[in-house]
Amino acid sequence: MTAKLIKGTEIREEILEEITKEVKNIKDKHGVVPGLVTILVGANPASLSYVTLKIKTAHRVGFNEVQDSQPVDISEADLLALIDKYNNDDAINGILVQLPLPGHIDDKKILNAIDPDKDVDGFHPINVGRLMIGGDELKFPPCTPAGIQELIVRSGMETNGAEVVVVGRSNIVGKPIANMMLQKGAGANSTVTVIHTGTKDMASHCKRADILIVAAGVPDLVKPEWIKPGACVIDVGVNRVGEKPSKKDPNKMVAILKGDVDFDKAKEIAGSITPVPGGVGPMTITMLMKNTLKSLKFKLGI
Ligand code: NAP
């Protein structure tokens, strides 16, 4: 059996098109577009490339995008004042502070200073609480888990009553996706088990999963024989396992990426599976756009 590939790259295009249309409709009716500011402190090359991609995507869907670059030695007080400025800026619906921040700045203090109604990353404790309560309380699901849920739903997988097993309990992936899948409602209503390093007999739990979501950061952690035939496998792991010459420029080396699931063997057992790269990865920024659009819609009451 060869599993159906759940392509994040294709689902991303579908969602970005939907967002672009909605942005245009809102602009025509209400004369406004979503505003997203990305605050980058210093010039870490990886952070700069993430920010550039976010800004490019925001531009593509018709947002008003602002890239605010600050020097690496900005004080914590000045950064807090900057956040306060954007909290009070009516044209800004989403505020994103690119991590990591320099050592002299307390990440938590900065992230907690963002107005929860503009926290489109969904990491503010108020939004974590809203996620836990679910239903109408939920405003901004964190982007990677929201992307995982979209992949499951848009690939046609039934979640109602499904056994969902989540490997990993991080605050950014494992815990939020586990919470989202157990909520009563569409795209969820599943029976959820969460696995971590304290779990005894991981294999027996994984074998029960109709939907197996793996976010451990350990290459090939999930063995093919742990997968229930026909299961939907979402591999969140991104592990750099070596380097190879780039296809575009053979003089340049690029990372060889591997997921947490032994893809080549797993695809012969699973019903559907995400590749790494090209599965969950493209969904995170996409969902950031969706949250920013939602923020404007909440504000307009539509
Ligand atoms: P994390 O904070 O390191 O958490 C990993 C979790 O996996 C922990 O809960 C840990 O258990 C569990 N775990 C690790 N090894 C295990 C083992 N041998 N058996 C059972 N459980 C194990 O990682 P994360 O931030 O959630 O990220 C996980 C992976 O997803 C990484 O590869 C990351 O790069 C990738 N990721 C991808 C995206 C994306 O594509 N957009 C976004 C975020 C993360 P304990 O709690 O017991 O330590």
Side-chain angles (χ1 to χ4, degrees):
M1 174 177 177
T2 297
K4 175 179 123 183
L5 264 193
I6 305 175
K7 294 183 185 161
T9 42
E10 284 177 8
I11 294 176
R12 167 185 61 193
E13 293 307 305
E14 213 175 283
I15 297 173
L16 290 180
E17 278 309 306
E18 291 167 9
I19 295 174
T20 308
K21 274 192 197 142
E22 218 175 333
V23 169
K24 192 177 172 308
N25 286 343
I26 292 174
K27 190 178 177 185
D28 291 347
K29 260 196 187 161
H30 302 271
V32 284
V33 297
L36 175 68
V37 62
T38 309
I39 302 173
L40 174 67
V41 177
N44 174 314
S47 296
L48 187 60
S49 93
Y50 287 135
V51 165
T52 307
L53 195 54
K54 286 171 187 171
I55 290 292
K56 222 171 113 184
T57 311
H59 182 76
R60 171 183 162 182
V61 295
F63 290 3
N64 167 28
E65 82 287 357
V66 179
Q67 181 170 348
D68 190 329
S69 295
Q70 294 294 325
V72 71
D73 59 353
I74 185 175
S75 70
E76 192 175 272
D78 284 351
L79 191 54
L80 286 168
L82 191 68
I83 288 178
D84 192 49
K85 183 186 97 170
Y86 288 120
N87 280 344
N88 292 296
D89 183 340
D90 259 1
I92 295 296
N93 306 102
I95 302 172
L96 206 120
V97 179
Q98 187 63 47
L99 298 178
L101 290 169
H104 65 282
I105 296 176
D106 180 350
D107 292 14
K108 226 187 209 172
K109 208 165 163 184
I110 299 298
L111 295 183
N112 290 355
I114 297 173
D115 178 347
D117 290 344
K118 296 188 180 188
D119 165 45
V120 287
D121 257 339
F123 291 144
H124 192 289
I126 288 188
N127 284 319
V128 176
R130 286 170 172 163
L131 175 89
M132 185 83 174
I133 298 166
D136 291 346
E137 284 292 328
L138 174 62
K139 281 208 151 180
F140 306 119
C143 301
T144 301
I148 294 170
Q149 194 176 31
E150 287 278 359
L151 290 177
I152 294 169
V153 171
R154 288 183 190 241
S155 69
M157 188 68 202
E158 179 59 79
T159 60
N160 188 21
E163 286 277 348
V164 171
V165 175
V166 179
V167 183
R169 58 176 163 188
S170 72
N171 288 329
I172 63 164
V173 188
K175 279 187 210 157
I177 189 62
N179 261 300
M180 289 161 75
M181 297 310 294
L182 68 76
Q183 297 295 339
K184 199 165 184 168
N189 211 29
S190 309
T191 302
V192 181
T193 303
V194 182
I195 287 176
H196 44 76
T197 55
T199 301
K200 289 177 192 151
D201 194 5
M202 265 179 77
S204 69
H205 291 289
C206 291
K207 279 179 186 167
R208 274 199 336 267
D210 300 310
I211 302 174
L212 180 60
I213 302 168
V214 192
V218 180
D220 293 346
L221 174 68
V222 170
K223 310 296 169 223
E225 60 273 20
W226 298 0
I227 295 168
K228 180 174 167 180
C232 169
V233 179
I234 306 288
D235 190 352
V236 191
V238 181
N239 305 293
R240 285 171 175 75
V241 293
E243 283 193 326
K244 60 179 181 189
S246 154
K247 275 187 193 155
K248 280 187 199 152
D249 175 3
N251 295 319
K252 210 176 135 198
M253 298 301 278
V254 291
I256 300 173
L257 300 180
K258 221 173 189 314
D260 290 350
V261 178
D262 182 344
F263 178 83
D264 288 333
K265 291 188 185 134
K267 77 176 193 314
E268 301 304 323
I269 302 163
S272 55
I273 188 166
T274 56
V276 178
V280 176
M283 297 301 291
T284 302
I285 293 181
T286 306
M287 300 317 290
L288 177 70
M289 301 303 135
K290 197 157 180 179
N291 276 350
T292 308
L293 173 59
K294 266 173 133 182
S295 176
L296 175 63
K297 287 168 71 180
F298 286 134
K299 191 176 157 211
L300 295 172
I302 55 173

